[in-house]
Amino acid sequence: MKRLIERTICRAGAAGLTMVLLLSGCGLRKTAGPDEEAAAERRVRADVAFLAADELEGRGTPGRGLDLAALYLEAQLAAAGVAPAVSGSYRQHYRVGSYQPAEAEVRVRVNGKPLSRQDYLFINFGRDPEKGPLAFPVVDGGTGVVAEERRVNELASLDLRGKAVLVRKGAPWPLDPAAVFGPDRAMGKLMAATVRGAGLLVYVCEELDRGEEAESKFFSEMKNAPVAFVREPGIGHVSALNPILVARPSAGVKAGDRIEITLKAPVTEGRAANVLGQIAGADPKLKEEWVVFTAHYDHVGMRQAGPGEDGIWNGADDNASGTAGVLEIARRVARAPGKRSTLVFFTSGEDRGIFGSAWYAAAPVVPMTQVATQFNLDMIGRSEGKVQGIAPAAASLFEEAVEAGRRRGIEVIPDQQPSWRLIYLTDIYHFARAGVPGIFFFTGTHPDYHQVTDTADKIRYAELVKIIDVAYEVARPYVDGRARPGYQRPAWFVTPE
């Protein structure tokens, strides 16, 4: 692994970048005055170049590339003077199982009668095959749309706990074919049902695989994506999503039925890790409180590719950009610690179902009650002068970010896709669920999202550094002891009991 790091550093250097990682006995280069911004950009470029290199194999959870990325982050934190946060280690390990959907045997029965394989598509989000069959009574959820902004909530009168909710494709308005995560699409309906306790979404639509529809394209991609799940005892289902059964009307599933799904698959065991560092606060009392910076360092890994094809999802924007941002903030705080302590938290498994942050929430290094605020950086590399500041439970943080953006020459704008409820899909979720006020910086999706074309050469580095500056400027007063921001849970923010 050390040789692989050295080889990747050489490749990054050949691309004209300055790599600040040395494997032993090295600190950060010192810069001052007007050169600091240029030095910060060089560091961030080097971080992204390393993390998004082909040698890291897309940083899938679990995987060799993810482990290599963790080793890099450890070395960078140590070089910056950031101490380990997990009993003398930087890593918080958890066990992960995975299997290939093509190798799985899936059987679906309704009232004891098997469904034809032509009538359904089963998509598993993190269900361990060894946990036994899924078996639920079916309730009718109409179209399953929950969109409070439009005064629509078709699940409001239903008790979904321990049920399979049957919903039909469509909404009380025309569908936007590009809005895969909207409340009127399968993913939005799945989120709404899962957080209300449903164990399964049965999504009824005419076609399962029409590539010209964004939603069906999503189904097609997901049925081939490896399934990963946490194997640790007592954690159970940790992602924000439960399995979904996409069914044709000919399947004949209706309210009052009992549906049973059995899943058998050869499981590969692996291990993944969160990477955590800490910077002690200087105040005798406030050092017991924490400001947390998070970014997920994983991505979606690799796929089989033919001759001349690219099979590596490099994940430069998603999320080498945010990881580089948190690294840079950690360097700055380490040079000038504040009154509060700082937790630097790189999560794994985010792209597989927020596994890493869920595992952390079950076994936190710092009690959630002692966290003053959280700053999450995820996909911040494609700015054209703007960045979203998503703070659904902490309006004051958004206002502070707007002002910092004005000073830094970048416009901070509100959530541009509020109906997508991105809080459920990112590492801010488990902190917000615990009542921690936080803000999530995000420059939006783009055609390279979860594609092999998300590469380091497409990152807008000057703007990326400005976003890092904004996040640091907003966070710094809280590191230095400012009263924690207020927290107001949105009415739509429903979490499982």
Side-chain angles (χ1 to χ4, degrees), residues 86-382:
V86 189
S87 302
S89 171
Y90 288 103
R91 299 198 198 191
Q92 182 186 51
H93 291 282
Y94 58 94
R95 293 169 55 235
V96 181
S98 61
Y99 71 88
Q100 294 291 336
E103 299 175 359
E105 178 185 342
V106 179
R107 294 182 180 178
V108 180
R109 291 180 174 84
V110 177
N111 300 327
K113 181 181 178 180
L115 292 188
S116 168
R117 293 298 302 270
Q118 303 303 314
D119 281 341
Y120 69 86
L121 172 65
F122 179 69
I123 300 175
N124 184 14
F125 288 96
R127 171 81 180 185
D128 186 340
E130 295 182 3
K131 287 190 176 294
L134 296 164
F136 304 108
V138 179
V139 297
D140 192 337
T143 62
V145 174
V146 177
E148 287 87 347
E149 296 90 344
R150 300 193 185 208
R151 300 184 183 278
V152 174
N153 186 343
E154 297 205 20
L155 304 181
S157 62
L158 299 175
D159 181 0
L160 301 184
R161 290 170 296 181
K163 309 285 178 53
V165 58
L166 175 71
V167 304
R168 289 172 287 280
K169 182 176 181 177
W173 50 77
L175 297 181
D176 176 359
V180 181
F181 295 106
D184 51 8
R185 309 314 294 257
M187 280 294 293
K189 296 175 184 183
L190 179 60
M191 282 191 288
T194 298
V195 298
R196 287 165 174 81
L200 175 72
L201 184 78
V202 182
Y203 182 79
V204 178
C205 60
E206 292 287 345
E207 298 292 340
L208 306 183
D209 238 350
R210 290 177 56 189
E212 69 267 28
E213 297 183 17
E215 190 164 78
S216 295
K217 183 175 185 291
F218 171 81
F219 293 153
S220 179
E221 291 174 350
M222 286 307 301
K223 74 178 183 181
N224 295 313
V227 178
F229 41 87
V230 175
R231 299 302 298 267
E232 301 292 344
I235 297 301
H237 183 73
V238 296
S239 94
L241 299 176
N242 277 334
I244 177 172
L245 183 75
V246 186
R248 290 191 173 98
S250 57
V253 184
K254 61 184 184 303
D257 289 341
R258 183 171 181 81
I259 191 165
E260 182 175 330
I261 302 174
T262 58
L263 169 65
K264 296 180 180 180
V267 173
T268 301
E269 291 282 354
R271 192 166 74 154
N274 297 318
V275 177
L276 297 112
Q278 61 181 332
I279 302 165
D283 185 89
K285 292 184 178 179
L286 284 180
K287 70 179 181 180
E288 300 302 322
E289 297 182 8
W290 296 76
V291 175
V292 178
F293 296 94
T294 56
H296 74 91
Y297 74 100
D298 67 294
H299 194 47
V300 294
M302 300 187 300
R303 62 176 173 83
Q304 292 292 329
E309 294 182 345
D310 187 353
I312 299 175
W313 288 288
N314 299 89
D317 188 30
D318 186 15
N319 183 37
S321 64
T323 301
V326 169
L327 264 180
E328 181 60 20
I329 289 172
R331 293 169 182 136
R332 298 179 188 185
V333 177
R335 288 199 293 263
K339 293 181 178 179
R340 281 196 178 97
S341 297
T342 297
L343 185 70
V344 183
F345 180 11
F346 299 106
T347 75
S348 56
E350 194 270 358
D351 273 317
R352 308 304 295 269
I354 57 175
F355 288 167
S357 58
W359 174 248
Y360 175 87
V365 171
V366 174
M368 290 292 190
T369 56
Q370 293 175 216
V371 177
T373 185
Q374 179 208 14
F375 295 83
N376 187 54
L377 277 58
D378 192 351
M379 293 180 63
I380 55 171
R382 295 294 191 92

Side-chain angles (χ1 to χ4, degrees), residues 423-484:
I423 191 172
Y424 289 123
L425 299 174
T426 66
D427 288 320
I428 201 171
Y429 169 73
H430 290 285
F431 286 87
R433 180 180 178 182
V436 175
I439 186 167
F440 160 34
F441 291 97
F442 176 56
T443 55
T445 59
H446 44 72
D448 300 313
Y449 173 68
H450 280 203
Q451 302 296 318
V452 297
T453 49
D454 182 10
T455 49
D457 59 298
K458 296 180 181 176
I459 300 298
R460 299 178 65 89
Y461 289 98
E463 290 87 351
L464 173 56
V465 171
K466 289 182 180 179
I467 293 168
I468 296 168
D469 290 344
V470 168
Y472 178 71
E473 184 172 329
V474 176
R476 187 72 225 192
Y478 296 102
V479 174
D480 290 336
R482 175 183 286 177
R484 66 177 64 191

